[in-house]
Amino acid sequence: MSSTALRPPPNRANRTADATDPPDAPYPRVPALAQALLAYVGVRALGLAVLTLWAHRKHHSVWPILATQWDAEYYLGIADHGYAHALGGMDGGNNLVFFPLYPVLVKAVAAVTPGTRATTGLCLAVAASLLAAWGIHAVGDRLHGPRAGVLLTVLWAALPVGLVQWMGYTESLFTACAAWALYALLTDRPLTAACLATLAGLTRPTGIAVAAAVTLTCLLSWRRPRALLAALLAPLGWCAYVGWVGLRLHRWDGYFAVQRTWRNEVDGGLDTLRQFRSLLLYDPTPELFLLLVTATLLASTALFALSLRDRQPAALLVFTAITLLIVLTSGGVYFPRARYLLPAFPLLLPIAVRLTRAPARYRHVILTTAVLGSAYWGAYMALVWTGPP
């Protein structure tokens, strides 16, 4: 197999041109990356402003919401005191369920910088979100041109649960690792992709989706030593942590036993279907946030079908397919599933590509609606919804 097996043909004629550019200009006059990052910061800043105003009216402080509550509290606890030594009961309190890269970074950076670990964690999340936005733009630009890259970044920023990108959570760090791993595959750098997949596997349980994308894509070029080595390296981060938890608890299924204490088990999607039926058919007064989660799951499934129709590169399809499969087939806790899909940004590519072809007035209406909706839902999720995001 040729050395370009992992790289799509660099034919810019197949990419979506920006109608505002001169005919021979490869990129807009204002660099597309600058457009994407400025737009990303603008969308998230608007969401933060709405949250701040709403919180002020409800006499709440924004800082704990962003930096110290819910999962952020567990990550800070790991940075302060380390991991549990025993399985414990079915109370959902065992911190071994949380992967180690983010709390390790929080502890390491906080040791050499002023401020609290909560401040450090939030700053790391915001910085990681910018790296993620950059990587998302790079993937969109590589596949469909600069305008698609910018639109893809804006759509990711404007997801209904986009507020999580600027909270003390791991979604931004994980998305950054995933986006740059996928970009490395698209540009034929399998070892770089494998290293990033290893980091993703140390960040979240769904890191196995990044590892699978890298491994399966590299196995298509198995005659190349670098690709074969990358295929072997990609899952090491995820396997290392899961194996370490097993050793710590003295049982081979240690990590999965911890997941069960949080009532998270794979049930083939039965619980998801039950939730759909209850919320959409039988509950006369369904919780608004749970309806948003349900809409997100259904829309993501439809967008994956469009991704297949658009013949996205195999690496992107494998990553989104496994991520979506994990989320849909898991039983137990339902409300965070929209957040679990936040790193699956390739699902937004079909929308971004179609928006590049849409008349400007429709594009502006759709993007404005998405941005304002994201600002509202972010504040609602943090201030009205009674549980974690």
Side-chain angles (χ1 to χ4, degrees), residues 16-86:
T16 307
D18 190 329
T20 63
D21 297 339
D24 297 327
Y27 289 97
R29 291 188 182 94
V30 176
L33 176 59
Q35 293 182 40
L37 293 180
L38 286 173
Y40 174 78
V41 172
V43 173
R44 293 293 3 118
L46 175 63
L48 184 59
V50 171
L51 172 65
T52 302
L53 291 173
W54 196 338
H56 178 73
R57 291 177 63 87
K58 292 177 70 71
H59 306 289
H60 288 300
S61 175
V62 172
W63 174 254
I65 294 172
L66 298 178
T68 64
Q69 291 184 358
W70 302 306
D71 286 9
E73 182 179 2
Y74 282 96
Y75 288 119
L76 293 174
I78 293 168
D80 287 336
H81 309 295
Y83 281 104
H85 290 271

Side-chain angles (χ1 to χ4, degrees), residues 8 67 226:
R226 284 190 309 149

Side-chain angles (χ1 to χ4, degrees), residues 179-347:
W180 285 109
L182 294 173
Y183 181 76
L185 287 176
L186 294 174
T187 53
D188 197 16
R189 291 179 288 175
L191 289 178
T192 300
C195 292
L196 289 164
T198 299
L199 293 177
L202 291 169
T203 306
R204 290 193 59 78
T206 45
I208 194 63
V210 184
V214 174
T215 296
L216 292 177
T217 304
C218 289
L219 286 177
L220 297 176
S221 301
W222 64 271
R223 291 188 179 89
R224 300 171 58 204
R226 284 190 309 149
L228 182 58
L229 179 59
L232 297 173
L233 291 175
L236 287 186
W238 188 89
C239 292
Y241 182 67
V242 170
W244 178 81
V245 173
L247 291 173
R248 192 173 184 84
L249 297 180
H250 308 290
R251 51 186 296 175
W252 69 270
D253 66 338
Y255 182 77
F256 305 101
V258 172
Q259 283 279 13
R260 289 192 290 274
T261 70
W262 287 79
R263 296 176 175 81
N264 287 330
E265 296 184 77
V266 175
D267 66 356
L270 294 177
D271 183 69
T272 302
L273 292 176
R274 282 194 294 268
Q275 294 283 357
F276 284 178
R277 184 178 61 180
S278 173
L279 290 166
L280 300 178
L281 297 178
Y282 297 117
D283 191 342
T285 56
E287 168 59 50
L288 191 57
F289 183 70
L290 295 182
L291 288 178
L292 172 67
V293 173
T294 302
T296 301
L297 296 180
L298 293 173
S300 298
T301 304
L303 288 172
F304 180 72
L306 278 178
S307 301
L308 287 171
R309 181 180 177 182
D310 291 350
R311 298 182 179 180
Q312 285 186 10
L316 274 63
L317 290 175
V318 171
F319 170 61
T320 52
I322 295 179
T323 301
L324 193 57
L325 185 67
I326 292 171
V327 173
L328 291 177
T329 61
S330 296
V333 183
Y334 184 73
F335 53 81
R337 297 193 195 184
R339 170 168 64 87
Y340 294 164
L341 285 173
L342 195 151
F345 70 91
L347 291 173

